[in-house]
């Protein structure tokens, strides 16, 4: 695997994978399941927040006041401005919690319901890849849990940062959405070592692809196709990396044979 490439090259690769993912999203079977996943995830947490929204905002209010109290110094009495800022942070935290829960639910449903089917469709474009490669299930579970924990904890920490905190949260969540699906995208195609190499060498591409999918999610109606676009984009990113690595290995093998 090659090291992380220049941002321009990474953007070109991300756009290519995103365009290929849009082509997969128009398949009726994938599109229908994607719409169902998006609707169920959004509807579930809308129901939860409509019932317990007041309590959730109250908990977020306590958390934001505790954080602001720390920043202002211990023992200082809260001012009217600080209380207003704390209330605004409470609603911001509650909104962030809602977004995180919806994103995590979409990714979990995508992994268990649709990802294997997406992989089969995408794999038809890469006939050179070898299937049936053994890999460790424990490594995949560990990576998925780590990505989810980082999304929840890191997302809330990002919102503490003034002004750019929301943007940092969006980029972090977008990256981890892609990062958490890499193992499923190359399952049976790559060894654990190759998976780690893909993740290490394609971090910029994963972040950019995640941002593209995140922006696509905000498009009215079309956003319900974001689960299949996300899954297909990650599949194409991983498979293209594997195909590129195999071409390099074949080239090196031919060079060694020529020397001999």
């Amino acid at each position: 695997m090659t090291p992380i490439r220049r941002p321009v090259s990474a953007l070109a690769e991300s756009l290519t994978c995103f365009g290929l993912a849009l082509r997969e999203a128009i398949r009726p079977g994938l599109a229908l399941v994607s719409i169902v996943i998006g609707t169920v995830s959004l509807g579930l947490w809308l129901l939860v927040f409509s019932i317990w929204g007041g309590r959730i905002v109250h908990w977020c209010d306590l958390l934001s006041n505790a954080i602001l109290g720390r920043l202002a110094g211990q023992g200082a009495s809260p001012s009217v401005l600080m209380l207003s800022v704390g209330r605004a942070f409470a609603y911001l935290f509650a909104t962030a919690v809602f977004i995180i829960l919806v994103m995590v639910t979409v990714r979990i449903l995508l992994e268990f319901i649709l990802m294997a089917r997406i992989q089969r469709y995408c794999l038809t474009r890469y006939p050179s890849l070898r299937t049936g490669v053994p890999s460790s299930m424990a490594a995949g579970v560990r990576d998925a849990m780590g990505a989810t924990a980082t999304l929840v904890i890191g997302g809330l920490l990002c919102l503490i940062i003034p002004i750019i905190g929301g943007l940092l949260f969006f980029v972090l969540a977008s990256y981890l959405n892609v990062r958490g699906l890499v193992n499923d995208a190359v399952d049976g195609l790559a060894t654990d070592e190759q998976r780690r190499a893909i993740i290490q060498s394609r971090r910029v591409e994963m972040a950019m692809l995640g941002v593209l999918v995140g922006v696509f999610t905000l498009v009215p109606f079309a956003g319900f196709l974001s689960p299949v676009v996300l899954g297909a984009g990650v599949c194409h990113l991983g498979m293209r990396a594997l195909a590129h690595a195999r071409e390099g290995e074949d080239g090196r093998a031919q060079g060694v044979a020529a020397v001999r």
Side-chain angles (χ1 to χ4, degrees):
M1 296 287 178
T2 58
I4 295 177
R5 293 169 292 177
R6 296 189 304 272
V8 174
S9 300
L11 178 59
E13 180 68 9
S14 302
L15 289 172
T16 299
C17 294
F18 181 72
L20 292 170
L22 290 177
R23 293 177 59 179
E24 309 296 349
I26 63 176
R27 297 177 183 269
L30 297 181
L32 178 60
V33 180
S34 178
I35 293 172
V36 171
I37 289 175
T39 303
V40 169
S41 302
L42 182 62
L44 170 64
W45 293 111
L46 281 176
L47 177 63
V48 170
F49 272 70
S50 66
I51 298 175
W52 292 290
R55 188 172 300 178
I56 294 172
V57 171
H58 175 67
W59 290 337
C60 293
D61 193 21
L62 294 177
L63 176 61
S64 63
N65 286 335
I67 294 173
L68 291 175
R70 285 279 185 179
L71 294 177
Q74 301 210 1
S77 57
S79 63
V80 176
L81 177 60
M82 182 174 292
L83 290 175
S84 300
V85 172
R87 193 64 177 175
F89 267 117
Y91 283 104
L92 186 61
F93 278 137
T95 303
V97 169
F98 175 79
I99 294 174
I100 290 173
L101 290 172
V102 172
M103 292 176 65
V104 170
T105 305
V106 166
R107 187 163 61 79
I108 291 174
L109 292 177
L110 175 60
E111 287 184 37
F112 286 98
I113 296 176
L114 195 56
M115 200 61 188
R117 190 185 305 180
I118 293 175
Q119 189 200 50
R120 287 195 299 271
Y121 279 118
C122 295
L123 191 56
T124 59
R125 303 183 186 275
Y126 307 92
S128 64
L129 294 182
R130 181 168 60 93
T131 58
V133 178
S135 59
S136 171
M137 181 179 296
V141 173
R142 183 175 61 251
D143 288 347
M145 293 178 62
T148 301
T150 305
L151 174 63
V152 174
I153 299 173
L156 294 177
L157 291 177
C158 283
L159 293 176
I160 300 176
I161 303 175
I163 302 176
I164 64 172
L167 178 61
L168 292 177
F169 164 69
F170 177 71
V171 175
L172 174 66
S174 300
Y175 165 74
L176 290 175
N177 248 358
V178 173
R179 167 68 177 80
L181 290 174
V182 170
N183 289 326
D184 297 272
V186 296
D187 185 38
L189 305 174
T191 63
D192 292 337
E193 181 181 351
Q194 289 173 326
R195 293 183 188 188
R196 289 192 295 269
I198 291 173
I199 293 171
Q200 292 173 1
S201 63
R202 295 293 191 273
R203 295 188 190 278
V204 177
E205 288 89 337
M206 288 191 289
M208 291 181 175
L209 177 61
V211 170
L212 289 172
V213 176
V215 173
F216 179 79
T217 304
L218 301 177
V219 179
F221 302 108
F224 283 102
L225 295 176
S226 60
V228 67
V229 173
L230 172 62
V234 181
C235 282
H236 283 296
L237 182 63
M239 292 175 186
R240 285 170 63 87
L242 284 174
H244 180 74
R246 178 165 181 172
E247 291 174 0
E249 292 172 357
D250 291 343
R252 287 192 296 270
Q254 292 176 2
V256 171
V259 171
R260 289 179 180 175

